[in-house]
Amino acid sequence: MATTRSPRRFVVTGGNGFIHISNEVLVGDLCDLSFCESVVRSMDTIMHFAATMGGMGTIHEANDFVIYNDNSTMTFNLVHAAVHQGVQRFFYASSACVYPTSLQHHGTNPISLREHDVWSSGAPNPQGLYGLEKLNSELLLMQFVEKMQIRIARFHNIFGPYGAWVGGHEKAPAAQLRKALAAHMDPSTQHEIEIWGDGKQQRSFLYIDNCVEAILLLLESNCSEPINIGSDCSVTIDDLTKIAVQSVGMDVGDFHFRYMDYSRPVGVQARNSNNEFITKTLSWTPKIPLEAGMMKTADWIRGEMEKLLNGNDKAAQTELLSSFKTSKVVYLSRPTITFAILLPITSRGLEGPEKSLENLRTFAKSLARTTWRDTRKLGLVRFQVKIYLGIDADDEFLLRRTGNTEMLNIESLLSEEGIMDVSTEICNVPRGHVCAIWRQCAHRAWKEKADYFVLMGDDVLYRKWGCSRMIPSRLSNGIGGSLPARYIQQHADGWTFGPLTEAASVLEASLATSFPAATRKMTLDIVIPSYRVLLPFLDVILALKESPTCETMFIIIIDNPHSPKITELEAKYAHRPDIRIRVNESNLGASASRNRGMKESAADWILFLDDDVTPQDDILIEAEKAIRLNPQAAGFIGNTYFPVASTIFTNAVHLAGVTHFWDIAAKMPQNESDMPWGVTANLIARRVQDGVEFDLQFPKTGGGEDIDFCRKKRDFSVAHGGEGFYPAPRVVATHPWWSDGQRSYWRFYMWSKGDGGLIKLYPNLTYLDHSPNSAELFLISTASTVLGSFTYLFTRSFVVFNISMSLALATVIANIVHDMYRHLWRDTNRTKALRSSLRGLGWAVAVAESALIRMASEGGRLIGLLERGEIMLVGHRFDWFTGRAGDGPMNEEIMNGQQRMALVALIFGVLCFKFCC
């Protein structure tokens, strides 16, 4: 804490105490030298009040070692930092406990402790290790009197508002005031007040305002010797208790004193400050007497007690007041939290068994280095690490012993690297059953009461209740992990379904009785296949936040192992426990990447997002809402919008119908429970053991795989009592125009080659159109052209050739004219709904180009059928609405085909009359 009340800069340690003035608060551990270095940098004065201390409830023999260790470390670090940083002045809060206990007993002469009395008995004999540490710190500071100004104050029982008043760290004035106030606030009980000891112990007590005045005088003085700051008017604890009773407005005669002679620590018999030196040196004497200070402190403690009592019912208030009537003995023994590291190890699968020891040594060095500070850090809690080694029973190399000892070689190796706490489990399980080894090690750790089990992997179970956290640490696997393993892994197929579901059910039942407040969270994983590794888009996706009732994980499947952006992506996000990055060994395609993402997931639901979409900030929250509203659905179809179409080409894409299903959730009725399908750019699917994956028969670039996936998921769900896909119109993402809107028909051609495969897969969703479409007419024209070429060779006649060219030209003209008719006249209500900024002639040109895009798509569909040898399916069409819109869409397409065919015949006749007659 620093103050800017003057040009000088002060750092004041001890944020939990009450002797401080600050305008900035820094929170850290003074047992950490680096923190001390950073705090004192550029400071002029250190005022060191921080200490593990209190009244006799705290500084008793049982706490000696903890107090000494903490306080000496803090002071040493601060002195070290002060000297290193060139601090000008160091104030140290010492204690009257430095004085010999032999001088502090009842005798004929009143006790009056002078500063030089510390050495009056020869060897120092302070009160406990608390006093010894204070004295040693004084001596430490005096070593640097030539390098900085040293100021040492030996405090004698400072009290006042804002000091500790409950919990065991309070001193006698606050403790007795609290007890008296508790009796005053609870008149229904007998007025009894607890006193530790026989009440005859003598102490002097100094009010805080007097203390602060003395400190400021000492700081500005030239006194570098230790100096008493206290009252020289001692009272007995009996007298102090009477003053406390009077300070709260009660009559001493109404109270009964209950003495606890032997069951509580009482300290020395008598202690009083001699103030001759401070009076002579600083011209200081206390101005506020004990009684006035007790009155002020009583008022403040009363306010603090009322804050705690207010809002509680009568029974709770009575219980709280009862607890205030007694003081606690505090034991500072540090609770130990044990982290059990479950570590299966094998010597097999390497270039030599010795390599396993080399790998283990690397691991041990890393573990020792990264846990050293935490396992040695001083504080309220102690941490320790214990390794549970799991070794196959037939692994003779690892089971070798060191010399004639009982210690295994690997245990000796760990000991050499500073890892001393090791338990070894000999595991008689089939080779490759790593989970069985983990289970055996975990059982041993549980029996030995380990607090945490450290498994170097991902949490798939406890995240469902939010009762575990993946720590943001980064581990590097030399072998295995996302890379191939060095042994044959025995996978349990489907373990993330049946076994995981069963385990979750068992845990849920157990929590229902042991911890009913625990509620199960939804788990939702976001799977993102990425070939281009577009960081600006991925940054937005990975910044999405879920609600407190949902746990998420982002699974990114990189489908281009040579992408230069992988390193940047991993450097930026690999440390995050909620992000899993996997890299395919080669370009497998979006479908295979999504399948890998599904295998990586263990969540209840999966949200598929393309790597180039920009989701709305609340997409995860809206996804959770949709799922909770219809939990039996097979999945949910979100809305994926495109930017406003501003060019001829982007408008033509819309008009060609390519993007119609991207925002189908906004077009279908909101009560629809069986959506046709949705694009994988923004699609939610239930993760169940249905065997449904993205079919790799479809092109790697996409086309038809999303429809096939949705239909299979839907069919399984309905067949097993579930429902189909629901619309989720508020689950929104925006997709950019492909290639920034540059003109290209190839994407749509390839998609159609793929989705043509649906005709064979789903004959129940197809129909026969007797009117050939543009692609089929072009096929006839091409065949006629070939025939015309042979005819010309024998007859030198162009008639057949001209007929074929006329048919092709008629097909193009008829399709453009018909689309002009549809979009500019017949279906204008539909076209008005498009997000477009194009008007006038540009709009008409876009309509014409839309016909070309549609013809390219029809061409891709026909070529796909021919390449797959499905020639008998030519003329069949797939119902994109899968019957959910009735016969309307199918009848409209048949009508459009008939109208186009009529136009083709008319134009073809005119052209033939002109060129062939």
Side-chain angles (χ1 to χ4, degrees), residues 641-646 651 654 734 737 831-837:
Y641 294 107
F642 287 83
V644 173
S646 58
N651 277 276
H654 275 321
T734 300
W737 288 107
T831 55
K832 287 179 181 178
L834 299 179
R835 301 178 67 205
S836 171
S837 62

Side-chain angles (χ1 to χ4, degrees), residues 160-186:
Y162 302 101
W165 63 275
V166 71
H169 288 270
E170 70 277 10
K171 294 188 177 180
Q176 300 311 88
L177 284 170
R178 185 196 69 243
K179 296 170 189 176
L181 283 166
H184 183 56
M185 293 179 177
D186 188 15

